[in-house]
Amino acid sequence: MHFHAYLYRGAGEAIKPFDDARRAGTTEFQTAVVPPEATSAWLTKPARMVKGTWDDPTDAVAWLAQQYADIADQRMHLEQQRQAPSLETMTANALDALHRGNDVVWAWWLRGGGFIDLTVACCPNRDGEGRCPLGRTDRRPDDLSR
């Protein structure tokens, strides 16, 4: 198993529920840069949308942490997020999730109406029958805890 990173950063108004651009199998889906409704559907998008690929989940979590550091002060309502989990807690939880074969999504509204979605998807994915976007043929370990 390996891990692919995906990133959407753009207008928050582009993230519409039940939009064909977010639904796998629609014509608009393959070219849309907005996050899909199902996390595993990222893997069915073109390989050019992959922002990074790692065999070690620690490296994938390091990517998440760097992306977070780049936008931390741009998040909306910072004063209300003082009670939110620390970056240390978020990275520990992400590492645990990836070790267990679960995808990780971090998303925030940004000042000015922007939105950022950071996703690390396990590949192969437990929720999808799709192939690896990069053509790898890894297998999922049989002993992953849910």
Side-chain angles (χ1 to χ4, degrees):
M1 185 170 64
H2 57 279
F3 309 91
H4 296 296
Y6 297 89
L7 178 141
Y8 168 78
R9 183 174 182 169
E13 64 193 27
I15 312 296
K16 300 173 187 158
F18 312 110
D19 185 18
D20 282 350
R22 298 187 65 212
R23 192 174 315 119
T26 63
T27 306
E28 298 90 341
F29 179 79
Q30 285 302 308
T31 57
V33 296
V34 295
E37 289 178 342
T39 303
S40 60
W42 272 119
L43 299 171
T44 66
K45 295 245 185 203
R48 71 183 183 302
M49 293 189 178
V50 175
K51 301 299 181 190
T53 298
W54 303 275
D55 292 318
D56 186 337
T58 304
D59 296 330
V61 171
W63 178 83
L64 283 168
Q66 181 59 57
Q67 298 305 309
Y68 176 84
D70 290 348
I71 59 94
D73 63 344
Q74 299 169 38
R75 294 174 297 146
M76 285 184 63
H77 311 295
L78 286 175
E79 66 285 349
Q80 295 171 350
Q81 295 184 31
R82 303 236 186 272
Q83 301 299 319
S86 67
L87 180 58
E88 181 179 86
T89 298
M90 291 186 332
T91 57
N93 289 342
L95 186 58
D96 180 62
L98 293 174
H99 274 297
R100 293 173 185 269
N102 296 313
D103 303 331
V104 173
V105 178
W106 291 357
W108 292 274
W109 285 98
L110 304 174
R111 288 192 307 254
F115 186 80
I116 189 164
D117 177 292
L118 308 169
T119 297
V120 175
C122 300
C123 188
N125 196 280
R126 73 164 41 115
D127 294 332
E129 298 294 322
R131 61 174 179 72
C132 173
L134 303 182
R136 290 180 57 168
T137 58
D138 298 15
R139 296 191 52 192
R140 283 183 66 82
D142 295 331
D143 62 353
L144 291 175
S145 299
R146 289 188 185 251

